[in-house]
Amino acid sequence: MAHDDSSLTRRKVLAGAGGAGLLAAAGPVSVLGSARPARAASAGGASDGTPEQIHLTWGADPASSVTVSWASPGPAARPRVLLGRAGRVVPGRTIPAVQRGYTDGINGETVWTYHAQITGLAPDTGYAYTVTADNDASSPPFAATFRTAPRGRAAFRFTSFGDLATPNTQWVLSYGQSAYAVAAVESFRPLFHLLNGDLCYADLNPTVQPEVWRDFGNNNQSSAANRAWMPCPGNHEVEFDNGPQGFTSYLTRYTLPDNGVPGFRGRWYSFRVGSVLFISLDADDVIYQDAGAFVAGPAALTPAASTGNPPIAPGTSFYISGYSGGAQTAWLERTLRSARSDPSVDWIIAQMHQIACSSSATGNGSDLGIRQQWLPLFDRYQVDLVLNGHDHDYERSFPCRGFDSMAGTEVATGAPAATLRPHPVTTDDTGVFDTSRGTVHLVVGCGGTDANLDDYGLDKADGLAQAKVFTRANRPVPTSTPGVFTRPAADAVEDATWSARRDTSTGYGIAVFDVDPGEPGGMTSIRVTQYHALGADPVNPATGEPGAPTPDYTEFETFTLIRPRSDRLRGTGTVPRHAPASAPGG
Ligand SMILES: [Fe+2]
């Protein structure tokens, strides 16, 4: 599965980033090596309202609403955003920020965050803003720019990866590539970025979770203050003693579009840019795999006395599968049905952390829960593209529709296993795929963590790609060491007939998507280019060679997704609104 690497240099990448269809903000492009800003010069403490970790998310309508969020070392006095049109010196509006705080359930540290929800913006327009408070020690206050989304069918660019971590290598799974990954986002100047879960692995550093989040937020700021970064939760956002699903750190820091489901705000949501509906899901709710916060032992995890929380015994994991009681899947179906009956929506792109189609050997693999609960809906409503993280590599599937029955094998017994293997509608890797005929799955867990998992499965018997699949919950089991527990790997394998391309040369990269709305009644397309950071792996699993973080992102592959515009579907009357979901083999 080795592939030739493009000779495209980063300089060429940057030059190429100015192509057609770009609607990037006019904000400053970060300089490599300075992506992680220093903390404010003030000494910190209860009276320090200096903004840090500044980041943007879309409001309910990305063409007219943006939220500015940040944190400060202590409570801020009159936290606010001053807003003006880009290029004007004097801001025109003041937007007060809402304070949200929480006390970390493990170390007892209080975190102060602020959220200014800006509405009434003009579409496709550049704005300048300043973030400040009466007790802001920075001078001048932090300032940046952003651009709102276009309205109606329009060209735009977005980028994506997951599994970012922080550049502070004193934290578990943090790695220097994390800073270069943020700089890579900025270099492509997308309208926005999708961050596919496992943001910073604070749960793996349980006694210092707020510090890890702070390094994450300050690393991201050099891009996320200039354009929306839209996240989804991963297994590592699940933290002990931080809320019913462990998401308090995540939910406090982000203000995300409202899903309208009482009790579950922020965990999943959708937003619309141009003719694309983006759906952000929390796969923690439907997967079999147990991979949230975990105490392996032999020591218990003992929260600070101030929290009042009891010690957490070895062998304890925070397993939240099924937490919404079906509410998320019901919301997903409503959202998909509505989108596919909307003549102004062409594309449906889903973002989630865990994976239906991964053949990583050293990582997690695929999960039957997603295949059972969500893939039938993706078939019925023609979801075009699914973006994942979780495995720290790059893998692209062929377009898939329906399932192959009993295509898997139980690892323990060798018996046939019902893995609901997604059925590729073609295995001809032409580089152009009509996603109205099948969903393409893309694993881009290639952000910046210290665990490069770009080693892929192989069925030695037939030489085909092989995927591990979780078909059961891998709850903790004792090891041979007394008091120490582990969570088993996936329980089944299958030949990964759906796997089209795997990057065996590095586990680091960024996917860049250029949406072309096409012409009325015609086809629309998305050109996808994966850029990878050759040599960034701490150890290359293919060669054993040691590597180091690198700012050089070069092209790995380009392919194009196409589909008929929905105005064409309705105009001809000959193409069904939803093609029936064929299910070969059941
Ligand atoms: Fe993960």
Side-chain angles (χ1 to χ4, degrees):
M1 293 299 292
H3 301 292
D4 291 334
D5 301 308
S6 163
S7 61
L8 195 62
T9 65
R10 186 168 181 281
R11 187 176 301 277
K12 289 173 184 169
V13 169
L14 289 167
L22 302 189
L23 295 166
V29 175
S30 68
V31 177
L32 294 176
S34 65
R36 181 171 175 244
R39 289 195 60 189
S42 67
S47 63
D48 186 353
T50 304
E52 59 175 40
Q53 308 172 51
I54 297 155
H55 60 101
L56 307 180
T57 50
W58 295 128
D61 172 16
S64 66
S65 51
V66 168
T67 299
V68 184
S69 298
W70 67 94
S72 54
R78 277 204 322 133
R80 57 197 184 271
V81 164
L82 311 177
L83 180 77
R85 286 287 179 91
R88 296 187 191 177
V89 176
V90 182
R93 287 171 62 187
T94 298
I95 300 98
V98 171
Q99 176 179 290
R100 293 207 299 259
Y102 75 98
T103 299
D104 184 80
I106 302 293
N107 77 358
E109 182 176 333
T110 297
V111 173
W112 306 94
T113 77
Y114 299 90
H115 306 266
Q117 294 185 257
I118 310 171
T119 56
L121 300 171
D124 194 15
T125 299
Y127 289 89
Y129 72 97
T130 293
V131 182
T132 192
D134 287 354
N135 53 346
D136 177 359
S138 55
S139 181
F142 179 87
T145 64
F146 66 83
R147 190 167 194 89
T148 52
R151 206 182 282 296
R153 283 185 168 91
F156 66 93
R157 166 177 286 187
F158 67 98
T159 53
S160 185
F161 54 60
D163 307 76
L164 180 56
T166 90
N168 183 349
T169 55
Q170 66 180 301
W171 311 135
V172 172
L173 279 199
S174 276
Y175 185 52
Q177 194 62 30
S178 178
Y180 291 127
V182 174
V185 175
E186 204 53 20
S187 74
F188 290 108
R189 304 173 74 81
L191 181 63
F192 63 97
H193 180 66
L194 296 177
L195 183 55
N196 307 336
D198 280 5
L199 309 185
C200 66
Y201 305 87
D203 72 310
L204 297 180
N205 303 271
T207 61
V208 288
Q209 289 176 148
E211 284 73 15
V212 180
W213 279 102
R214 181 179 299 129
D215 285 336
F216 164 80
N218 282 331
N219 179 48
N220 296 356
Q221 177 178 292
S222 58
S223 177
N226 303 328
R227 57 202 78 244
W229 278 43
M230 301 302 284
C232 68
N235 50 303
H236 288 290
E237 277 60 70
V238 179
E239 298 171 354
F240 284 122
D241 293 327
N242 277 332
Q245 296 93 33
F247 291 146
T248 296
S249 297
Y250 174 79
L251 295 171
T252 305
R253 287 177 166 79
Y254 285 97
T255 294
L256 298 166
D258 191 358
N259 58 28
V261 183
F264 295 115
R265 181 164 185 163
R267 292 151 182 83
W268 62 84
Y269 58 91
S270 67
F271 63 92
R272 171 84 180 274
V273 175
S275 62
V276 186
L277 182 76
F278 292 88
I279 298 181
S280 181
L281 296 168
D282 179 17
D284 293 302
D285 188 23
V286 302
I287 54 169
Y288 285 99
Q289 186 186 10
D290 178 358
F294 175 47
V295 179
L301 174 60
T302 303
S306 65
T307 66
N309 290 323
I312 303 166
T316 305
S317 67
F318 198 173
Y319 187 58
I320 62 170
S321 187
Y323 73 79
S324 84
Q328 183 174 195
T329 300
W331 172 91
L332 173 62
E333 173 143 38
R334 288 198 301 275
T335 303
L336 291 172
R337 189 189 310 123
S338 168
R340 273 292 171 244
S341 61
D342 182 340
S344 67
V345 172
D346 294 326
W347 299 94
I348 302 176
I349 296 176
Q351 169 199 39
M352 72 182 81
H353 179 66
Q354 292 91 344
I355 318 169
C357 294
S358 169
S359 68
S360 172
T362 45
N364 302 280
S366 309
D367 201 293
L368 178 62
I370 300 167
R371 296 178 176 185
Q372 287 174 322
Q373 299 203 44
W374 290 349
L375 262 50
L377 297 177
F378 293 176
D379 281 349
R380 189 175 311 149
Y381 298 105
Q382 295 184 13
V383 169
D384 297 282
L385 176 66
V386 177
L387 298 174
N388 304 104
H390 204 35
D391 284 335
H392 305 162
D393 60 19
Y394 173 82
E395 183 164 17
R396 168 171 60 84
S397 81
F398 292 110
C400 292
R401 182 135 300 160
F403 302 110
D404 300 327
S405 66
M406 301 307 288
T409 304
E410 277 197 33
V411 172
T413 65
T419 55
L420 289 183
R421 183 174 68 181
H423 180 79
V425 297
T426 178
T427 54
D428 193 4
D429 201 7
T430 59
V432 179
F433 305 100
D434 183 344
T435 52
S436 71
R437 300 180 184 281
T439 302
V440 169
H441 300 259
L442 202 62
V443 182
V444 281
C446 45
T449 81
D450 192 34
N452 55 298
L453 303 176
D454 45 334
D455 191 7
Y456 302 86
L458 178 72
D459 183 342
K460 294 192 178 85
D462 57 17
L464 294 175
Q466 184 182 66
K468 302 187 294 186
V469 187
F470 283 97
T471 75
R472 291 192 287 271
N474 59 323
R475 303 308 307 277
V477 294
T479 68
S480 57
T481 305
V484 176
F485 294 77
T486 188
R487 291 181 291 194
D491 53 273
V493 292
E494 67 185 15
D495 279 355
T497 50
W498 40 260
S499 182
R501 194 85 193 264
R502 313 189 287 190
D503 187 352
T504 57
S505 56
T506 176
Y508 298 91
I510 180 172
V512 179
F513 304 82
D514 287 306
V515 179
D516 180 344
E519 299 299 323
M523 302 291 283
T524 169
S525 67
I526 301 178
R527 184 175 175 82
V528 186
T529 306
Q530 172 71 9
Y531 294 87
H532 63 178
L534 284 173
D537 296 44
V539 178
N540 187 315
T543 65
E545 303 255 323
T550 173
D552 296 323
Y553 283 77
T554 56
E555 184 178 324
F556 170 65
E557 72 157 342
T558 298
F559 58 96
T560 303
L561 309 179
I562 59 170
R563 70 173 291 123
R565 280 173 45 143
S566 33
D567 53 6
R568 163 172 162 163
L569 292 172
R570 279 152 190 80
T572 63
T574 57
V575 181
R577 182 173 297 176
H578 322 129
S582 63

